[in-house]
Amino acid sequence: MSEVLNVEAIFGENVFNLGTMRERLPKNVYKEVKKVMDQGGELSPATADIVAKAMKDWAVEHGATHYTHWFQPLTGITAEKHDSFIGHPDENGRMLMEFSGKELIKGEPDASSFPSGGLRATFEARGYTAWDITSPAFLKEDATGVILCIPTAFCSYTGEALDKKTPLLRSMEAIGEQALRIVKLFGNTRATKVTASVGPEQEYFLVDRQKYLKREDLIFAGRTLFGAPAPKGQELEDHYFGVIRERVGAFMKDLNIELWKLGVTAKTQHNEAAPAQHELAPIYETANIAVDHNQIIMETMKKLAERHGLRCLLNEKPFAGVNGSGKHNNWSITTDDGMNMLDPGETPNENIQFLLVLACILKAVDIHADLLRQSAADVGNDHRLGANEAPPAIISVFLGEQLEDVVRQLIETGEAKSCLLGGKLMTGVSTLPDLPKDATDRNRTSPFAFTGNKFEFRMVGSADSVASPNITLNAIVAEAFCEAADILEKADDFDMAVHDLIKQYLTEHHRIIFNGNGYSEEWVKEAERRGLPNIKSMIEAAGALTTERTVKLFERFHIFTKAELESREEIEYETYAKSINIEALTMIDMASKQIIPAVIKYSQKLAKTVLDVKAAGVEPVVQADLLSRVNSKLTEMKEALEVLQREEAAAFAMEDVKAQAFRYKDVVVPAMEALRAPADELEMLVDKADWPFPTYGDLMFEV
């Protein structure tokens, strides 16, 4: 029998959390740290030195030799530069391990080598990392050794945010302040803080590493650029929640242990819909820590997959024809006295505070649908959204039958006198219990769905940081709360004012509610009739970052400046153009050096077979027909390759970054699709032994 794993004992053992600080810091120092974490402010230099020494001693006891300011630049992944604890040797040549408060609080990476969208010139290199005291330091263990990772924000020398964390923290303060105004309007004098909480589910694929290394497209692009469908996909729906394979199970076991050590509340694991696809879901945490932990989850998945002879694919659409991957961003807002502002209670029609919060959120999503869509935009997600497997590219809100009925009553009559009840589900089996039934079913096709006491934003891509969607959600809802509070705080008759405001918001923004099938063509037409935007690509969405409405929103709450928004729009165009360029060059390389040579060799074999059969006195009808079909597709492929080479070179030569991105989308991507089509048909014709790299069947079913 294997050794019993004590999860309680290992959980958080590699985290310098509050419990560890309470044990290792003097009482007055711990109180100062906790106060800054809860209320903001700065640590005194003396306190910072004490915290740094305690953190260093703890890390060294766990085997750490280096520390790093762990930050999240605009690449979408994390960055780190390792410095050892080695100090100057003393006069006897003895080295002492050192770490000061100044080193804890501030670092200085090169700011010019990260995406800045024009905020920093190449010669302007200075940037700063600043310790985020609200997110605990942790230890990373790998072949490099044990590294103390200190979560930090990353800003330029001139003060602009060059990362995901800084604006996220700003947005959390904004929604916290405005939500507290709403809470106080309803007489809650106990709450002093409101926090956005997030639980991001993470989908991913696992493939065999040796097979992965034989595919240039997976190595360079993270997804397959060629590939005919396997005979079996997900038609039988037998992989979803199916028995986990031994090899995958071993990976999941080690993944859980690593994450638990790092304080990540890995809760749920299961097979997803597509073959070789899986999911991990954590428990809710404050938005800031949830974003950090999701980055840790993705990093740990990739690291441990290697150890198990696997490769973790986080691209949103690694395989055509089967479901891609996303991460459902479950979002709610909670007071520090334990009240979830999105909890409707047993009778939501009588819960006036909840109805106001709901009305504000509907208003926010309707007004800023383009910005919310943009927050989930990335290159891989263009292949996933709207593909009858994920939410459509049209933003709408699912409320369910119960809340939609309440909303209808409020719009039509000004009051909701009743609400639908859940009742019981009768199993019809004497030995099975009858189950309490929710008043509302779920809708998997909705991009923004209310699911009991939270909203689930289902558009977010699997490889992307969840910072951007949560910055946007926090900001747009903060604006709606602020505008509502401005009106209600001045009202002579609060009850009448809040009643009228709820009805007004629901009436004006009812068009955003849709409970039906988001995959249907009828909904696309209906959404257009309602005036809802249908933004189909990443670069079409990018412009939402710099509209007058968006700039006003973010500057009002000091989340982004206009310059920071303009830089992020430019980075969107740059990222798209560079990513498609890499994919196009990879396709050209694979077609030129692998597929076409392999097909030529196969056609030579066929030609020899035709001659041999003829020489034997038999008409080679089948062989000649196959040779003709192969040569026809080979010619088609060669012509498509030449077109792609020409169009890729033309797009690459363009200087205007926005025009270049659209040229890649409108011209290069169709040229890539035109090259793929005959190549995939050839895969179905050529002898498997002669095909130059692993097929979909090899990758998805041989794990």
Side-chain angles (χ1 to χ4, degrees):
M1 187 176 181
S2 60
E3 184 180 344
V4 176
L5 178 66
N6 187 336
V7 178
E8 292 181 358
I10 67 168
F11 188 83
E13 69 176 26
N14 286 346
V15 185
F16 195 71
N17 52 28
L18 283 174
T20 305
M21 283 194 272
R22 189 182 291 111
E23 292 173 2
R24 290 177 171 265
L25 296 176
K27 198 170 185 178
N28 62 320
V29 171
Y30 173 79
K31 283 184 177 179
E32 184 178 343
V33 172
K34 189 72 168 62
K35 182 179 179 182
V36 172
M37 290 175 67
D38 293 338
Q39 301 175 22
E42 295 183 13
L43 296 179
S44 67
T47 295
D49 281 336
I50 294 170
V51 174
K53 184 179 185 307
M55 191 182 291
K56 182 265 295 180
D57 290 346
W58 168 80
V60 170
E61 288 170 19
H62 284 75
T65 56
H66 291 69
Y67 70 93
T68 183
H69 276 196
W70 185 80
F71 59 102
Q72 299 170 38
L74 299 176
T75 55
I77 56 176
T78 61
E80 53 194 59
K81 178 187 72 171
H82 301 170
D83 289 296
S84 74
F85 291 118
I86 293 176
H88 291 288
D90 62 17
E91 59 184 10
N92 298 315
R94 193 165 65 94
M95 187 274 295
L96 298 175
M97 304 287 262
E98 297 177 350
F99 186 52
S100 68
K102 182 179 178 182
E103 290 170 316
L104 167 63
I105 291 171
K106 176 185 166 187
E108 189 178 329
D110 186 339
S112 66
S113 298
F114 292 100
S116 70
L119 284 175
R120 302 291 287 157
T122 303
F123 65 88
E124 295 173 325
R126 195 180 296 277
Y128 296 116
T129 49
W131 178 34
D132 174 17
I133 197 172
T134 64
S135 185
F138 59 94
L139 299 175
K140 207 157 83 164
E141 298 176 292
D142 54 31
T144 314
V146 181
I147 311 297
L148 172 64
C149 297
I150 302 159
T152 56
F154 179 42
C155 299
S156 73
Y157 180 73
T158 47
E160 294 95 353
L162 296 176
D163 68 338
K164 305 271 188 177
K165 181 181 281 287
T166 304
L168 176 66
L169 293 171
R170 293 170 181 169
S171 75
M172 290 176 67
E173 290 189 359
I175 194 169
E177 180 181 342
Q178 301 307 321
L180 193 60
R181 292 175 67 190
I182 298 295
V183 167
K184 288 182 176 178
L185 280 167
F186 287 88
N188 185 338
T189 57
R190 302 180 307 278
T192 60
K193 188 176 182 180
V194 181
T195 306
S197 297
V198 175
E201 305 164 19
Q202 179 70 54
E203 295 175 348
Y204 61 99
F205 280 82
L206 290 174
V207 298
D208 181 85
R209 185 173 182 272
Q210 293 305 313
K211 293 183 174 68
Y212 163 90
L213 291 173
K214 294 177 182 177
R215 300 260 334 194
E216 280 188 41
D217 46 6
L218 288 180
I219 292 171
F220 297 129
R223 71 182 186 97
T224 55
L225 302 171
F226 296 103
K232 179 179 183 290
Q234 60 191 62
E235 303 90 345
L236 296 179
E237 299 168 333
D238 53 342
H239 189 259
Y240 189 55
F241 281 23
V243 176
I244 297 168
R245 297 175 187 171
E246 286 280 304
R247 189 177 181 188
V248 174
F251 161 81
M252 288 181 170
K253 177 184 175 183
D254 286 352
L255 176 64
N256 285 330
I257 292 171
E258 287 289 314
L259 293 177
W260 290 334
K261 288 179 180 178
L262 291 166
V264 178
T265 54
K267 175 73 173 176
T268 303
Q269 62 188 31
H270 62 84
N271 289 344
E272 254 298 334
Q277 187 186 32
H278 314 279
E279 181 178 301
L280 180 147
I283 298 173
Y284 284 79
E285 300 171 290
T286 60
N288 175 35
I289 295 177
V291 169
D292 286 357
H293 279 178
N294 185 250
Q295 290 289 354
I296 290 172
I297 287 170
M298 291 191 288
E299 288 180 21
T300 309
M301 282 178 170
K302 288 186 280 190
K303 177 178 71 175
L304 288 181
E306 293 286 326
R307 295 180 188 174
H308 284 264
L310 299 166
R311 188 73 183 196
C312 177
L313 304 180
L314 293 175
N315 188 284
E316 287 75 16
K317 193 74 172 178
F319 301 104
V322 298
N323 278 16
S325 296
K327 49 186 149 211
H328 300 171
N329 189 85
N330 296 282
W331 178 88
S332 63
I333 36 180
T334 310
T335 65
D336 57 357
D337 67 337
M339 179 186 66
N340 182 346
M341 294 178 69
L342 289 177
D343 186 354
E346 295 293 323
T347 52
N349 58 310
E350 298 172 359
N351 189 338
I352 305 303
Q353 178 179 301
F354 168 76
L355 292 175
L356 176 63
V357 169
L358 178 66
C360 286
I361 292 174
L362 291 174
K363 173 186 174 182
V365 174
D366 186 24
I367 289 175
H368 295 289
D370 59 341
L371 186 60
L372 193 57
R373 164 68 179 91
Q374 187 284 321
S375 74
D378 68 24
V379 183
N381 229 9
D382 280 2
H383 302 286
R384 170 179 165 262
L385 295 179
N388 288 343
E389 61 176 77
I394 304 165
I395 294 283
S396 64
V397 179
F398 169 80
L399 293 182
E401 295 173 1
Q402 184 187 57
L403 288 182
E404 189 176 42
D405 179 61
V406 170
V407 168
R408 180 189 56 77
Q409 292 180 62
L410 288 167
I411 292 174
E412 292 178 357
T413 68
E415 57 181 332
K417 294 182 178 179
S418 63
C419 69
L420 303 176
L421 300 177
K424 287 213 169 192
L425 177 67
M426 313 300 285
T427 60
V429 179
S430 62
T431 55
L432 295 178
D434 296 329
L435 304 174
K437 189 168 72 168
D438 292 317
T440 294
D441 202 348
R442 288 182 178 170
N443 186 328
R444 70 182 298 272
T445 72
S446 175
F448 197 73
F450 185 75
T451 54
N453 60 2
K454 59 183 172 26
F455 275 100
E456 184 179 27
F457 186 34
R458 303 178 69 251
M459 271 187 166
V460 187
S462 54
D464 214 2
S465 165
V466 290
S468 293
N470 288 298
I471 292 167
T472 299
L473 277 172
N474 292 344
I476 65 177
V477 176
E479 179 187 60
F481 283 169
C482 180
E483 291 172 354
D486 286 347
I487 294 169
L488 296 175
E489 286 169 353
K490 299 172 186 173
D492 295 326
D493 185 338
F494 173 77
D495 291 339
M496 182 60 70
V498 72
H499 172 275
D500 291 346
L501 193 62
I502 290 170
K503 182 180 179 183
Q504 177 191 334
Y505 283 0
L506 294 179
T507 303
E508 292 176 353
H509 303 287
H510 182 256
R511 67 173 185 166
I512 200 70
I513 301 172
F514 179 65
N515 283 357
N517 180 9
Y519 294 166
S520 70
E521 281 300 316
E522 289 78 11
W523 167 235
V524 175
K525 296 173 184 176
E526 171 63 16
E528 185 178 4
R529 187 190 67 77
R530 294 187 188 188
L532 300 178
N534 184 2
I535 305 171
K536 297 180 180 180
S537 73
M538 170 185 176
I539 54 172
E540 288 173 287
L545 284 167
T546 53
T547 64
E548 183 179 345
R549 184 172 57 206
T550 296
V551 173
K552 181 181 176 183
L553 162 72
F554 283 124
E555 287 193 333
R556 179 180 189 178
F557 296 106
H558 310 291
I559 297 169
F560 288 119
T561 64
K562 184 179 181 182
E564 288 171 337
L565 289 167
E566 289 171 342
S567 73
R568 280 154 177 78
E569 182 183 6
E570 184 166 332
I571 289 169
E572 293 283 284
Y573 298 133
E574 288 176 351
T575 301
Y576 185 88
K578 290 175 182 177
S579 298
I580 300 301
N581 184 55
I582 290 169
E583 291 189 354
L585 291 176
T586 302
M587 288 191 80
I588 290 168
D589 203 56
M590 292 176 73
S592 303
K593 298 177 183 178
Q594 292 183 293
I595 300 175
I596 289 177
V599 176
I600 289 173
K601 286 181 181 178
Y602 181 64
S603 64
Q604 289 172 338
K605 287 183 182 180
L606 284 176
K608 186 177 183 305
T609 302
V610 169
L611 294 175
D612 289 346
V613 172
K614 269 190 177 182
V618 179
E619 193 62 31
V621 177
V622 174
Q623 296 88 336
D625 177 65
L626 181 56
L627 177 60
S628 175
R629 290 163 62 195
V630 167
N631 280 338
S632 173
K633 289 301 170 184
L634 185 59
T635 301
E636 185 182 335
M637 187 178 173
K638 182 65 169 63
E639 291 171 353
L641 173 61
E642 290 171 353
V643 171
L644 178 58
Q645 287 172 318
R646 186 170 62 250
E647 296 300 347
E648 184 280 325
F652 183 76
M654 296 178 70
E655 294 185 1
D656 182 287
V657 66
K658 181 176 179 180
Q660 183 187 49
F662 275 92
R663 178 65 182 253
Y664 273 109
K665 180 183 81 71
D666 296 332
V667 180
V668 176
V669 168
M672 291 166 61
E673 292 168 351
L675 175 59
R676 176 171 184 160
D680 288 358
E681 290 183 62
L682 282 166
E683 184 184 323
M684 303 297 289
L685 297 173
V686 173
D687 189 326
K688 180 177 171 63
D690 292 314
W691 196 248
F693 41 74
T695 65
Y696 273 20
D698 300 330
L699 290 165
M700 290 192 292
F701 292 94
E702 297 182 10
V703 182

